[in-house]
Amino acid sequence: DWLGPGDLLAVQALTEIVLRSSPSAATYKQLLEELADTCERWVAPERAAIALDFADRLVMEASPEPNAREAFALALLLPLSVHQERLDPGDLSMARRLSTELGIELDWQSQPSEGEAQDAEAELKAATGRQLLLYSLDERVLDRAHETL
């Protein structure tokens, strides 16, 4: 009835294993429906990173059952969009991006506040001319990082 952070990380790891194994459409659908049924008990701004990791896995893996994928993505992202003012800027940005990649149309804040925009601009100016080395075994992750940078 209750999922703590450790429980969620274990469920997430097991879900990733199943999704990487190319499950049948029936298995995929059953898994995502069962996970979606639990979302109302744990998806909240304070656990946004875990919810976004689940959503990211939906983007990264094949989807043999698009309707189940969409329903689970909505169960993950809708509570975050409702409370988006409580998300930190990084989680908000990632939620917006995943929503777009998953084809889930939610009303996300489109612009940071004036103070946040000025802070971000100052950080970018401070980073000018620096080099950054990224390593990942997943090329899609590197593509995302490249696009963002």
Side-chain angles (χ1 to χ4, degrees), residues 71-123:
F72 184 39
L74 190 58
L76 292 166
L77 297 173
L78 182 60
L80 298 179
S81 74
V82 170
H83 301 288
Q84 62 187 286
E85 69 281 350
R86 293 177 45 206
L87 295 176
D88 69 49
D91 287 342
L92 179 60
S93 175
M94 187 64 173
R96 187 181 307 115
R97 181 180 186 102
L98 288 170
S99 182
T100 300
E101 290 181 12
L102 289 163
I104 305 296
E105 293 185 25
L106 295 170
D107 188 23
W108 297 102
Q109 297 172 356
S110 60
Q111 298 293 328
S113 68
E114 187 175 317
E116 291 173 354
Q118 290 173 349
D119 291 344
E121 187 176 331
E123 288 178 17

Side-chain angles (χ1 to χ4, degrees), residues 8-70:
L8 290 169
L9 291 174
V11 170
Q12 183 181 17
L14 293 170
T15 300
E16 184 173 345
I17 291 168
V18 172
L19 294 179
R20 285 183 180 224
S21 72
S22 300
S24 67
T27 300
Y28 181 88
K29 180 179 178 182
Q30 181 182 4
L31 173 65
L32 296 190
E33 285 176 349
E34 288 178 11
L35 290 170
D37 288 344
T38 70
C39 287
E40 66 183 23
R41 287 182 258 165
W42 64 268
V43 176
E46 51 275 356
R47 293 199 176 139
I50 296 171
L52 294 173
D53 285 344
F54 271 106
D56 188 41
R57 188 53 41 204
L58 293 176
V59 170
M60 296 298 188
E61 302 301 334
S63 174
E65 182 56 53
N67 292 334
R69 176 185 180 201
E70 183 177 334

Side-chain angles (χ1 to χ4, degrees), residues 121-133 149:
E121 187 176 331
E123 288 178 17
L124 287 174
K125 285 182 181 178
T128 301
R130 295 191 180 171
Q131 293 184 358
L132 177 66
L133 174 65
L149 293 173

